[in-house]
Amino acid sequence: MRSDNAKSGMQQAPARSLFRALGITEEELARPLVGVVSSYNEIVPGHMNLDKIVDAVKQGVAMAGGTPVVFPAIAVCDGIAMGHEGMKYSLVTRDLIADSTECMALAHQFDALVMVPNCDKNVPGLLMAAARLNIPTVFVSGGPMLAGRVKGEKRSLSSMFEAVGSYAAGTMTEEDVEEFVCKVCPTCGSCSGMYTANSMNCLTEVLGMGLEGNGTVPAVYSERIRLAKHAGMAVMDMLKKNICPRDIMTEAAFRNALTMDMALGCSTNSMLHLPAIAHEAGVELNVDIANEISARTPNLCHLAPAGPTYMEDLNEAGGIYAVMKEISKLGLLNLDCMTVTGKTVGENIKNAVNRDTEVIRTVENPYSPTGGIAVLRGNLAPDSCVVKRSAVVPEMLKHEGPARVFDCEEDAIAAIKGGRIVAGDVVVIRYEGPKGGPGMREMLNPTSAIAGMGLGASVALITDGRFSGASRGASIGHVCPEAAAGGPIGLVEEGDIISIDINANTINMKVSDEELARRKASWTPKVKEVSGYLKRYRRAVTSADKGAVLADE
């Protein structure tokens, strides 16, 4: 056992004295040590139930003959951090989580790990750590929140942000907004639509790193406690069979994840996180293959914010395995990939049943014949940008209009809520990328304000920042190169005509090459003054099309 390095032999007698100080018995010390990585805290609603999940994991590990030992991982609540400088500290925690977990796991020589994350950066950060460490690891998330209900209709956090926009437009009263405040987030769990947290928990299941139900069983269901116990048991079985993350997270598994990303209509943040996780697993995942996969993958699910269904509905319809079973009819999944169950993908989904063909459309009757995410290129984004196509209304799939240019999110929000953005405009928010922010803030506030102002079917938003999974509309992010790195988005001027064709995967500003060269000759990218971790992060972070990973040197 790896843990023998820390507990066996005369040389480790001092360590054994410290284990005794922890109250660990000789019998427990003789068993494999299993680290249980808990991101429990009291500031993230998706994490407030993780103490119960962790306790269940510990019981499962102990029942299967291991000794569970808990240590923490940090987590930021994106919803609370949204719209102010706090959002600069969201994406950057992904690498802190991966690095600190690596440090704890190797310093204490754990034999195996169970990761207990739930929200946006937590899940990919711990997947990165799992790939890097490559010791037997199982994931069990805290589960999604149940949808709220306002005036008889299911609602979620994206509805809350849009209500603020409606209030600014004068179509909703303060009392109306307060009713949303009290009702849209009724339980603990990751917010109830196909936002980033739920996207990544579902894709963890697809990758083979979580058991069935990891992405969809609601946080408040007792079924999730049982799932956590089984996760603890499963990691002990993996340890016996020596099944490790890199045996599971292969190139084929990542292609499966991208395919299901398209079928589910996941958050555009998956296009940051999957390449970053793949990088740690030694797999090169180029965003260019997204369009190739999207072209042949039908979009089968329209969960909020794209449609009126929620994670609880997907769970009742059969969950992720049912969607995988449906997509497998087209031969689009590699069914031979290994998973944490010790079985292949094909064996896992063999008996899955689609119980609701409106929540999970059949391949014969998809929401669209192509996938939920599109990668665009053009003279505005030579190295790519990303849009959640499944959340764009048909009339905005092709759009042309004048640029309204802002060098930060706050200025754009003020213009939108002040009524200075009109139908046909293309809002451009720059200097919000990985280096420019720094930290690549999410733009849920401006996209929600656009929707709340009634402009969702007539105004596009383009940024070198990124979007929450709760954003909808023609919201085009991850523009590369970013403005701070000298990208053409930094050259856009007020009134330039921007042409977007999502189905053709193009995005261009109608400005001649000669004019762009003239502008660039007299232009210097802006640099924001920062200190501390953000300063170090800006020096090391790569571009969004590379997953915004930190450079190795």
Side-chain angles (χ1 to χ4, degrees):
M1 292 186 293
R2 177 192 295 264
S3 60
D4 287 342
N5 296 329
K7 65 186 184 184
S8 296
M10 183 56 64
Q11 183 174 319
Q12 293 310 117
R16 289 197 297 278
S17 73
L18 294 170
F19 279 113
R20 280 182 172 269
L22 290 167
I24 291 177
T25 66
E26 291 182 11
E27 292 82 359
E28 288 174 303
L29 209 56
R31 299 172 178 175
L33 291 183
V34 179
V36 182
V37 188
S38 170
S39 59
Y40 168 80
N41 62 46
E42 294 182 343
I43 191 64
V44 185
H47 293 222
M48 62 180 286
N49 65 320
L50 295 192
D51 54 343
K52 296 177 177 60
I53 304 296
V54 166
D55 285 344
V57 168
K58 291 172 66 178
Q59 291 178 54
V61 169
M63 283 190 287
T67 298
V69 181
V70 179
F71 65 88
I74 63 170
V76 165
C77 178
D78 280 21
I80 294 174
M82 196 74 65
H84 52 85
E85 70 170 348
M87 180 46 68
K88 295 182 179 183
Y89 288 88
S90 174
L91 178 62
V92 303
T93 64
R94 188 184 69 180
D95 296 277
L96 285 175
I97 291 162
D99 291 349
S100 60
T101 302
E102 174 194 358
C103 292
M104 288 293 289
L106 293 182
H108 302 101
Q109 293 290 286
F110 287 108
D111 296 298
L113 297 170
V114 180
M115 307 291 200
V116 188
N118 209 28
C119 290
D120 294 28
K121 305 316 150 310
N122 232 210
V123 183
L126 290 178
L127 281 166
M128 289 165 69
R132 190 185 300 175
L133 290 162
N134 202 36
I135 61 176
T137 303
V138 174
F139 278 67
V140 56
S141 76
M145 184 184 290
L146 293 177
R149 286 185 179 272
V150 180
K151 294 180 171 58
E153 292 186 15
K154 284 187 177 182
R155 297 289 188 177
S156 63
L157 185 66
S158 55
S159 306
M160 183 72 257
F161 279 88
E162 290 179 16
V164 174
S166 297
Y167 174 78
T171 58
M172 198 176 270
T173 66
E174 187 173 344
E175 290 73 21
D176 291 331
V177 173
E178 193 58 30
E179 183 178 6
F180 274 72
V181 168
C182 295
K183 294 181 178 179
V184 298
C185 295
T187 70
C188 62
S190 48
C191 297
S192 56
M194 188 56 83
Y195 310 145
T196 305
N198 291 326
S199 294
M200 293 310 301
N201 282 325
C202 290
L203 294 179
T204 297
E205 203 174 320
V206 176
L207 279 170
M209 291 298 294
L211 300 176
E212 181 180 9
N214 179 72
T216 61
V217 173
V220 295
Y221 283 14
S222 297
E223 183 182 352
R224 186 150 289 274
I225 300 295
R226 297 195 297 274
L227 180 67
K229 291 177 182 177
H230 283 295
M233 297 178 205
V235 83
M236 294 303 297
D237 188 53
M238 289 179 71
L239 182 59
K240 290 172 188 171
K241 295 175 179 176
N242 194 31
I243 299 173
C244 295
R246 292 195 185 190
D247 301 320
I248 294 169
M249 290 193 281
T250 62
E251 182 177 354
F254 281 105
R255 291 186 76 93
N256 281 353
L258 272 176
T259 299
M260 287 296 296
D261 193 337
M262 300 302 170
L264 290 164
C266 291
S267 163
T268 52
N269 279 317
S270 63
M271 299 302 291
L272 276 177
H273 299 322
L274 287 176
I277 299 160
H279 175 76
E280 297 290 352
V283 174
E284 184 179 347
L285 193 65
N286 194 312
V287 294
D288 284 335
I289 69 171
N291 286 340
E292 167 203 329
I293 290 173
S294 180
R296 61 174 184 264
T297 306
N299 178 228
L300 304 185
C301 299
H302 261 196
L303 283 85
T309 53
Y310 294 81
M311 295 306 296
E312 63 203 64
D313 302 311
L314 180 57
N315 187 63
E316 293 302 316
I320 299 305
Y321 278 16
V323 187
M324 293 178 76
K325 180 75 172 290
E326 197 65 48
I327 284 293
S328 71
K329 293 175 183 177
L330 298 176
L332 297 179
L333 296 179
N334 186 318
L335 302 181
D336 296 326
C337 292
M338 180 52 61
T339 72
V340 293
T341 65
K343 299 177 181 177
T344 65
V345 168
E347 291 173 309
N348 284 345
I349 69 172
K350 181 180 178 181
N351 297 318
V353 177
N354 182 355
R355 301 188 189 94
D356 189 330
T357 56
E358 202 46 43
V359 175
I360 305 171
R361 292 278 186 94
T362 64
V363 292
E364 295 83 14
N365 181 38
Y367 281 102
S368 70
T370 54
I373 289 177
V375 175
L376 316 183
R377 270 190 168 79
N379 69 355
L380 185 57
D383 291 345
S384 75
C385 57
V386 179
V387 63
K388 186 171 181 175
R389 174 166 43 198
S390 59
V392 180
V393 294
E395 54 266 41
M396 287 299 290
L397 290 171
K398 189 171 185 178
H399 179 76
E400 194 170 285
R404 305 299 307 282
V405 184
F406 304 93
D407 287 344
C408 67
E409 176 189 7
E410 289 83 355
D411 290 350
I413 292 171
I416 295 164
K417 291 185 176 178
R420 302 199 303 274
I421 302 301
V422 299
D425 284 348
V426 177
V427 176
V428 177
I429 306 176
R430 59 196 181 190
Y431 295 104
E432 292 287 6
K435 288 183 181 294
M440 204 178 184
R441 287 195 287 182
E442 287 184 342
M443 302 288 157
L444 180 55
N445 272 352
T447 59
S448 298
I450 287 169
M453 296 285 285
L455 297 170
S458 60
V459 168
L461 194 154
I462 299 170
T463 181
D464 52 10
R466 61 195 178 95
F467 294 108
S468 164
S471 291
R472 62 187 176 99
S475 304
I476 300 166
H478 307 192
V479 170
C480 295
E482 60 176 295
I489 189 172
L491 304 177
V492 180
E493 294 183 356
E494 189 80 7
D496 284 347
I497 300 301
I498 308 292
S499 178
I500 303 160
D501 191 333
I502 293 172
N503 287 332
N505 304 115
T506 61
I507 181 167
N508 290 287
M509 48 179 159
K510 291 192 165 182
V511 178
S512 70
D513 293 344
E514 293 76 18
E515 172 61 14
L516 289 176
R518 186 193 65 77
R519 292 180 188 179
K520 189 158 190 175
S522 59
W523 170 73
T524 302
K526 296 181 179 180
V527 178
K528 297 175 185 174
E529 287 298 319
V530 291
S531 59
Y533 182 58
L534 288 183
K535 189 173 184 178
R536 298 196 301 276
Y537 181 85
R538 181 168 63 191
R539 280 200 303 266
V541 71
T542 60
S543 61
D545 61 316
K546 301 292 190 295
V549 298
L550 301 187
D552 294 330
E553 295 181 2

